[in-house]
Amino acid sequence: MVKDNIRKEWKKQTSSKPVNARQAALLIMRKVEREGAYANIALNQTLRENVLTAQDARLAAQIAYGAIRMQNALDYILERFLSKPLEQLPDYILPILRLSLYQLLYLDKIPSAAAVNEGVALAKKYAGQKIGNLVNAVLRQALRQGGLALLPRREEDFTQYLTVTLSHPQWLVERLLKLWPPEEVEAFCLCDNANRQVAIRCNTLRINRQELLQRLQEAGIEGEASPYAPESVVIHNGAAALQGLRQEGLFAVQGEASALVAHALNPRPNMQILDMCAAPGGKSTHMAALMEDQGRVWACDIRPHKLKLIEDAAALLGISIVQPVLADALHLDGQAVGMADGALLDAPCSGLGVLAARADARWRKREEDISRLAEQGLAMLCSVADRVRPGGRLCFSTCTITDEENIDNVRRFLARRNDFRLVPIAGLRRMFHDPQDLRRLEQGYIQLLPHKHHTDGFFIAVLQRNDYV
C-alpha cells in the first residue's frame, strides 16, 4: 500500500511538464476553443498541469487572454495573408497564429523576433516544418505590410471599426449604437479591451482600509482607496503578491461595483438576511461584516459544489453568521416566507458589464439570451420577494447593462406586486456626485457603466415591502 501511494505521488509530480509561456498560452486557448472551457478555468487548469515560473505564468495569461479578446482584429489581418479560410487550417495553427500576432501587434515589450520564432517553433512542433514555414511567412508579411494599420479605421466605417478593430460581436455593437451616442459605444468597447485592475475589499472585522493600505505597501503592492465602497482598494501593481496577505483573512477579492450592493441593502447587526445566488460568497461575507458578525446571512445557491466556496470564504475572513444553503431561487415553495429583514438577489444575467474581466465572454454571448435571462430574473425576483417580511427590503442586482434585465424588470415586478415600492438608496449617496446618478439613487436604483464609472457595469435597485400585506 505504501509503495502504491509513493508510486501514485511520483506519477502525479512527474506528470507536470515544463512548458514556456507561449506553449501554455496555446494550451489555454485550445481548452477554450475546443473544450468550451472558460478562460480563467482553462488558465488555472493549465497552471496545475504544467510547470511554469511565476513570470511565465503571468505572460501566458496575458497572451492567451489578449489573443482571445482581440480575436476579430487578429483574424481580420490573418485572412489577408492566407489562401484558405481560417477554419481549414491544420489543428493548433489558428491559435498559434493568433497568439503570435497578438504579441507582435499589442505587446511592445516582446521583441518581434522572439514572437515570430516562438510561433514558428510551436507550429513545427504540432504540424511540421512546412506549416512552420507558413506561419513564419504570414507573421512577417503582417509586420511588413503595416500590422495594426491594416485594421478598419474609425473614420471610414465606424461599425466595422468597433466590430473588427475593437473586436466586439457585431450584434452587440449594433445594439449599443441604437441606445448610445457613437462616442459612448467606442468608450465602452475600449474599456472592455483595457487591462482590468484588481479590486479588493478589506475585512473590517480585522482591519480598516488605511491599515490594509499600509500592509499592502509593506508587501510591495501598490494600491489606492476606491472612490466608491469605503472598504475597497484598487490594486495598481503587485497583484501577484496578494495571495500571502489574503491567507491572513485581511481582505476578499471583490470588484468595486459589487462591493456597493451590501451598502445598498444596508444590513444591520442581528438582522436575518437572505442572499440568493450567493456563490462564491463575496456579497454574503460583506453583509456579514456590516452586521458585525451578529445575526444570520442565509447564503443560498442552486449548485451544491458552490456552497463550499461560500463556506471557505466565510471561514477565511473569520465570519460565523454566514450559513450556506442549497436552494433554487425559482422554486422556494413555502420556505422562509416573510422571514427576512432583507434579501438580496444578484440575478443570473448576460454579464455584459464584466466583459473586461472575462476574455472569452464576449464570444459566448448571444442577443437572444437577453430576453430569456430577463424573464428568468423577473421570475426569481417575484419568488424571492415573498421571503421578505413587511417593512423589509429587497435588493436586486446584476452585472449587466441592458434595460430589459435591469430597470425594465423592476418596473414589471412593481406592476405585479403593489406591496413593494422603490425607495431611495441612502447608503450610496455619499459615493456618487454626478447629478444623474444622484437622481437615480433618489428613485431607488443606479446603473454603473465601465466607461463612465471606471468599474464593472452593474445595476442595483432597492425595493421595500409595505408594512401591511
Side-chain angles (χ1 to χ4, degrees):
M1 178 65 74
V2 173
K3 287 184 178 179
D4 287 344
N5 289 339
I6 293 173
R7 196 176 294 115
K8 287 178 182 177
E9 184 62 27
W10 179 86
K11 185 177 180 181
K12 178 181 176 183
Q13 292 180 13
T14 55
S15 64
S16 295
K17 309 172 292 296
V19 298
N20 63 27
R22 279 83 173 184
Q23 188 174 356
L26 174 61
L27 296 174
I28 294 165
M29 294 170 68
R30 286 273 301 176
K31 291 179 191 296
V32 172
E33 179 183 353
R34 293 302 180 99
E35 301 173 21
Y38 293 104
N40 63 322
I41 295 175
L43 170 64
N44 292 335
Q45 185 179 355
T46 299
L47 295 182
R48 284 196 307 269
E49 293 173 349
N50 299 277
V51 179
L52 282 90
T53 65
Q55 182 178 358
D56 272 358
R58 288 193 294 271
L59 181 57
Q62 184 182 22
I63 294 171
Y65 284 9
I68 292 168
R69 184 181 293 120
M70 300 309 297
Q71 179 176 304
N72 273 6
L74 298 170
D75 287 0
Y76 180 89
I77 293 173
L78 290 172
E79 285 170 344
R80 296 173 65 103
F81 304 109
L82 289 164
S83 59
K84 61 173 63 177
L86 298 182
E87 59 271 17
Q88 293 183 17
L89 288 169
D91 199 21
Y92 282 96
I93 300 309
L94 180 55
I96 289 172
L97 283 167
R98 285 173 176 165
L99 70 88
S100 302
L101 189 59
Y102 177 78
Q103 294 171 77
L104 289 174
L105 302 184
Y106 295 98
L107 298 185
D108 295 336
K109 293 183 179 180
I110 294 181
S112 297
V116 172
N117 292 340
E118 291 283 353
V120 171
L122 283 175
K124 289 179 179 178
K125 175 182 175 67
Y126 288 101
Q129 180 69 45
K130 184 177 179 181
I131 299 300
N133 294 339
L134 171 67
V135 167
N136 181 62
V138 168
L139 294 176
R140 294 188 184 280
Q141 276 186 292
L143 268 183
R144 281 196 300 269
Q145 296 195 28
L148 291 176
L150 298 170
L151 293 171
R153 296 185 180 184
R154 186 181 192 278
E155 59 273 15
E156 294 171 350
D157 186 327
F158 192 69
T159 299
Q160 192 181 31
Y161 160 73
L162 297 173
T163 303
V164 175
T165 307
L166 299 190
S167 197
H168 277 68
Q170 186 170 343
W171 71 264
L172 178 57
V173 167
E174 292 174 349
R175 182 185 182 93
L176 293 178
L177 285 172
K178 292 176 184 176
L179 301 175
W180 298 343
E183 297 77 13
E184 192 168 354
V185 180
E186 180 183 22
F188 173 84
C189 293
L190 287 169
C191 279
D192 281 350
N193 292 344
N195 289 327
R196 181 176 178 266
Q197 291 181 315
V198 174
I200 60 176
R201 169 180 56 81
C202 76
N203 178 13
T204 52
L205 297 174
R206 290 180 173 171
I207 195 170
N208 63 42
R209 182 163 67 175
Q210 193 54 46
E211 292 168 339
L212 179 60
L213 284 166
Q214 181 63 36
R215 290 291 305 274
L216 292 171
Q217 185 178 12
E218 292 168 359
I221 301 168
E222 296 178 15
E224 68 172 343
S226 165
Y228 295 109
E231 307 90 351
S232 291
V233 171
V234 180
I235 304 301
H236 296 307
N237 193 24
L242 283 173
Q243 189 60 24
L245 287 178
R246 187 180 185 185
Q247 292 307 309
E248 296 182 41
L250 300 182
F251 64 85
V253 177
Q254 185 176 19
E256 294 174 89
S258 176
L260 294 175
V261 175
H263 286 284
L265 186 58
N266 196 28
R268 288 291 175 258
N270 299 313
M271 281 186 170
Q272 298 288 313
I273 301 295
L274 183 66
D275 184 3
M276 300 303 305
C277 309
K283 299 178 186 68
S284 294
T285 54
H286 191 189
M287 290 189 291
L290 295 178
M291 295 163 65
E292 300 173 12
D293 205 29
Q294 300 172 46
R296 180 65 70 189
V297 177
W298 304 97
C300 305
D301 204 275
I302 192 174
R303 297 156 293 186
H305 67 284
K306 294 288 188 180
L307 298 183
K308 183 66 164 54
L309 297 179
I310 300 171
E311 183 181 331
D312 290 346
L316 182 62
L317 298 171
I319 289 169
S320 64
I321 67 168
V322 171
Q323 177 63 57
V325 177
L326 184 65
D328 181 352
L330 285 173
H331 302 287
L332 291 171
D333 302 322
Q335 300 176 58
V337 173
M339 174 274 291
D341 299 301
L344 165 62
L345 172 63
D346 189 47
C349 67
S350 59
L352 298 178
V354 291
L355 297 182
R358 302 170 185 174
D360 54 317
R362 67 188 69 185
W363 311 122
R364 296 180 185 274
K365 310 298 179 184
R366 298 291 180 269
E367 188 166 19
E368 55 268 25
D369 294 339
I370 292 172
S371 57
R372 174 183 60 80
L373 288 163
E375 289 298 326
Q376 183 183 50
L378 177 61
M380 287 184 171
L381 191 55
C382 291
S383 175
V384 175
D386 287 331
R387 316 308 129 187
V388 179
R389 66 164 176 80
R393 291 195 170 194
L394 170 58
C395 182
F396 173 65
S397 67
T398 74
C399 58
T400 196
I401 59 174
T402 70
D403 284 350
E404 295 98 312
E405 296 169 271
N406 295 337
I407 189 60
D408 289 353
N409 255 356
V410 171
R411 290 170 178 151
R412 290 199 293 165
F413 169 78
L414 291 173
R416 298 184 185 187
R417 297 293 299 260
N418 60 10
D419 56 331
F420 278 85
R421 68 187 188 280
L422 280 167
V423 292
I425 310 179
L428 300 187
R429 284 181 189 141
R430 68 187 184 280
M431 306 172 195
F432 292 87
H433 307 286
D434 181 84
Q436 183 182 46
D437 291 338
L438 292 172
R439 282 194 299 272
R440 286 178 171 174
L441 288 172
E442 281 302 306
Q443 294 167 11
Y445 71 97
I446 185 75
Q447 175 71 68
L448 287 92
L449 298 170
H451 57 286
K452 177 180 177 182
H453 299 93
H454 307 291
T455 66
D456 290 333
F458 232 84
F459 176 81
I460 306 169
V462 176
L463 305 118
Q464 185 165 350
R465 196 170 193 183
N466 298 335
D467 288 332
Y468 56 89
V469 177

